Coordinates of all heavy atoms in Angstrom, one line a residue:
P296 N -20.8 55.7 -33.8 CA -21.7 56.9 -34.1 C -22.4 57.4 -32.9 O -22.5 56.6 -31.9 CB -22.7 56.3 -35.1 CG -22.7 54.9 -34.9 CD -21.3 54.5 -34.5
C297 N -22.9 58.6 -33.0 CA -23.7 59.1 -31.8 C -25.1 59.3 -32.3 O -25.4 58.9 -33.5 CB -23.1 60.4 -31.3 SG -23.5 61.9 -32.3
R299 N -26.7 61.9 -33.0 CA -26.9 62.9 -34.1 C -26.3 62.3 -35.4 O -26.8 62.7 -36.5 CB -26.1 64.1 -33.8 CG -26.8 65.0 -32.7 CD -26.0 66.3 -32.5 NE -26.5 67.1 -31.4 CZ -27.6 67.8 -31.4 NH1 -28.3 67.9 -32.5 NH2 -28.0 68.5 -30.3
C300 N -25.4 61.3 -35.4 CA -24.9 60.7 -36.6 C -26.1 59.8 -37.1 O -26.3 59.7 -38.4 CB -23.8 59.7 -36.3 SG -22.3 60.4 -35.7
C371 N -20.8 65.2 -38.6 CA -21.7 65.3 -37.4 C -21.4 66.5 -36.5 O -20.2 66.8 -36.2 CB -21.5 64.0 -36.5 SG -22.4 64.1 -34.9
A373 N -21.9 67.0 -33.6 CA -21.6 66.8 -32.2 C -20.3 66.0 -32.0 O -19.5 66.3 -31.2 CB -22.8 66.1 -31.5
C374 N -20.1 65.0 -32.8 CA -19.0 64.1 -32.6 C -18.0 64.1 -33.7 O -17.0 63.4 -33.7 CB -19.3 62.7 -32.2 SG -19.8 61.6 -33.6
G375 N -18.3 64.8 -34.9 CA -17.4 64.9 -36.0 C -16.1 65.6 -35.7 O -16.0 66.4 -34.7
Ligands
ZN524 ZN1 -22.1 62.0 -34.1

Side-chain angles (χ1 to χ4, degrees):
C297 79
R299 287 186 190 278
C300 296
C371 176
C374 80

